[in-house]
């Protein structure tokens, strides 16, 4: 099997962790900051970070239109945490000027679980991932409040005050999680995305 | 993060783990954290693309100019800043002042900076940071100091520099020192790591881990004296994973523009064309003081050990 080339949007955030996880999952991973670098990848990861900052830098460095175009053309994209926010068509509790890509038809609430003292770890079952629940790390994380008809819910929180909240979704080649599999050393979600990129290519 | 790899077996969510504390700092990487003293400044910082703000009563340049004992900020002021922005809010506690840290945790700040910029409250002990749910960032001038802070529970390290000067020379010294000492550990044979740990006054297990991985187990930012986009980019090229800017923004001629320029320079720290572009037309930088002109007892970086 050939290794698909997957970029990690490297404007701000935990880029290195995603590069490491993607490499471990069998992809050729590289940071992407410029339109020409985007042209050379088969799929893209939008990492965890600060979504207001990433949104701003996407515009300043003219990455919005090229990424929207590639998404429209079917390029697989995976967003974790801030990346999920960047893939949402509607964001609550964000900045008024904050704008994501033309991604997944869903409403995402930013910092929905609370401030950093409320950040937590918990197991989450994700549809399509075998071998037991993922150990999910939520850091000032968003959740999904509404999904469009074409969006598949892959995972929800099972216990605690936020039980039932949607934290993993997919629409065609677009995948998003509220949590950070790149921080755990468990490569199953990245492998799932690498397979998705391979199938699309 | 070797000590945090065992997930809990139950489905119950767990807060305050080393992984969520250190992970929070991972999310700030490649970003700029700006000192602010009012909600208005916090908004300017957020507008400029800051990944977080540091709420404090006086920026280091004013602390230096006005003297006196410098303490945790007024809770009302911190609340005002938390209300004003949606990005993470950090705040400073005095070295060793665990009650200031308890108060900051209760206010809901996202990170506590146990900071040499404030007057130390304890000249022997730093705060036991494992006892808190809120994560801590601490300053360090060298690897041993960084490892002692991590041992006490710091989830993020920043090299110290000399705050409130606009003089970047100490920031470069401390960052180079930390990185040199890490590289040195990587060259040592296993049987010399025991003595290396003794010399660094740091736990052997942590020293061994760094010798193997070539990096700290937590994120390493830079701080102290950064005043221009070029300063920020240089520190990133020297190995910082992100930048704290204190007095450099709001003591300059055009804070909004300078803040935005430093954000861009941090992301494109390795692209001189971008750096040249963002360095134009920023107006006056903060006036600054040469570190050499500051008498030893007034140097903030020497606080903490």
């Amino acid at each position: 099997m050939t290794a698909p080339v997957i970029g990690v949007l490297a404007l701000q955030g935990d880029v290195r962790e995603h590069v490491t996880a993607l490499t471990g999952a069998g992809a050729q991973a590289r940071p992407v900051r410029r339109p020409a670098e985007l042209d050379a990848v088969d799929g893209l990861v939008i990492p965890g970070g600060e979504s207001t900052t990433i949104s701003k830098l996407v515009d300043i460095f003219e990455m919005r239109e090229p990424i929207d175009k590639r998404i429209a053309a079917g390029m697989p994209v995976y967003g974790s945490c801030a990346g999920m926010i960047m893939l949402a068509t509607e964001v609550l509790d964000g900045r008024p000027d904050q704008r994501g890509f033309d991604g997944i038809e869903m409403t995402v609430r930013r910092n929905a679980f609370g401030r950093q003292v409320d950040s937590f770890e918990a197991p989450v079952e994700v549809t399509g991932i075998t071998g037991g629940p993922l150990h999910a790390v939520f850091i000032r994380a968003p959740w999904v409040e509404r999904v469009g008809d074409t969006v598949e819910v892959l995972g929800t929180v099972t216990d605690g005050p936020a039980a039932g909240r949607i934290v993993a979704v997919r629409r065609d080649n677009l995948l998003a999680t509220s949590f950070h599999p790149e921080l755990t050393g468990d490569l199953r979600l990245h492998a799932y995305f690498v397979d998705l990129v391979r199938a699309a290519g | 993060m070797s000590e945090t790899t065992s997930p809990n077996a139950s489905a119950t969510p767990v807060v305050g783990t080393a992984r969520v504390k250190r992970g929070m700092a991972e999310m700030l990487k490649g970003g700029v954290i700006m000192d602010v003293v009012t909600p208005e400044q916090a908004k300017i910082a957020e507008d400029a693309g800051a990944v977080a703000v540091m709420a404090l009563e006086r920026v280091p340049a004013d602390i230096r100019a006005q003297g006196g004992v410098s303490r945790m900020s007024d809770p009302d002021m911190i609340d005002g800043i938390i209300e004003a922005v949606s990005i993470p809010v950090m705040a400073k506690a005095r070295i060793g002042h665990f009650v200031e840290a308890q108060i900051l945790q209760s206010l809901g700040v996202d990170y506590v900076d146990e900071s040499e910029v404030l007057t130390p409250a304890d000249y022997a002990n730093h705060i036991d940071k494992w006892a808190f749910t809120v994560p801590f960032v601490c300053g360090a001038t060298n690897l041993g100091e960084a490892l002692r802070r991590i041992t006490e529970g710091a989830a993020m390290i920043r090299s110290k520099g000399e705050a409130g000067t606009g003089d970047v020379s100490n920031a470069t010294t401390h960052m180079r020192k930390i990185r040199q000492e890490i590289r040195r550990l990587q060259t040592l044979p296993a049987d010399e790591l025991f003595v290396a740990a003794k010399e660094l006054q740091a736990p052997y297990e942590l020293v061994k881990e760094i010798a193997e991985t070539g990096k700290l187990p937590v994120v390493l930012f830079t701080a102290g004296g950064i005043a221009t986009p070029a300063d920020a980019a240089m520190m990133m090229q020297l190995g910082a994973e992100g930048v704290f800017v204190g007095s450099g923004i709001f003591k300059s001629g055009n804070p909004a523009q300078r803040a935005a320029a430093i954000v861009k320079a941090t992301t494109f720290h390795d692209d001189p064309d971008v750096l040249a572009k963002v360095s134009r037309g920023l107006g006056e930088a903060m006036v600054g003081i040469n570190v050499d002109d500051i008498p030893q007892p007034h140097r903030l970086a020497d606080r903490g050990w």
Side-chain angles (χ1 to χ4, degrees), chain A residues 11-14 16-17 33-34 49-50 52-53 56-57 61 95 110-111 115-116 120-121 135 140 180, chain B residues 7-8 14 17 19-20 24 26-29 46-47 49-50 86 88 108 110 215 241 267 270-271:
Chain A
L11 298 172
Q12 190 272 317
D14 69 335
R16 186 181 58 219
E17 286 66 23
R33 284 183 300 177
R34 299 175 178 84
E50 187 46 53
T52 56
T53 304
K56 221 166 263 300
L57 291 170
F61 293 106
R95 286 171 50 86
R110 202 163 147 248
N111 303 335
R115 304 194 67 82
Q116 172 59 17
F120 65 101
E121 302 183 40
H135 185 73
R140 283 174 54 98
H180 296 280
Chain B
N8 60 314
V14 192
T17 60
R19 187 184 270 151
V20 299
M24 166 82 204
E26 302 284 353
M27 301 311 144
L28 302 172
K29 281 192 301 194
E46 187 182 43
D47 285 343
S86 67
D110 296 297
K215 64 182 283 297
E241 296 180 284
T267 294
D270 55 354
D271 186 332

Side-chain angles (χ1 to χ4, degrees), chain B residues 43-59:
Chain B
K43 281 190 194 133
I44 291 170
E46 187 182 43
D47 285 343
V51 289
V53 291
M54 177 73 70
L56 70 172
E57 217 144 48
R58 296 181 288 173
V59 293

Side-chain angles (χ1 to χ4, degrees), chain A residues 5-21:
Chain A
V5 180
I6 300 182
V8 180
L9 187 64
L11 298 172
Q12 190 272 317
D14 69 335
V15 176
R16 186 181 58 219
E17 286 66 23
H18 275 290
V19 168
T20 305

Side-chain angles (χ1 to χ4, degrees), chain A residues 113 120 122 157-165, chain B residues 11-13:
Chain A
F113 294 95
F120 65 101
V157 177
T158 53
D159 207 353
R165 291 296 181 181
Chain B
T12 313

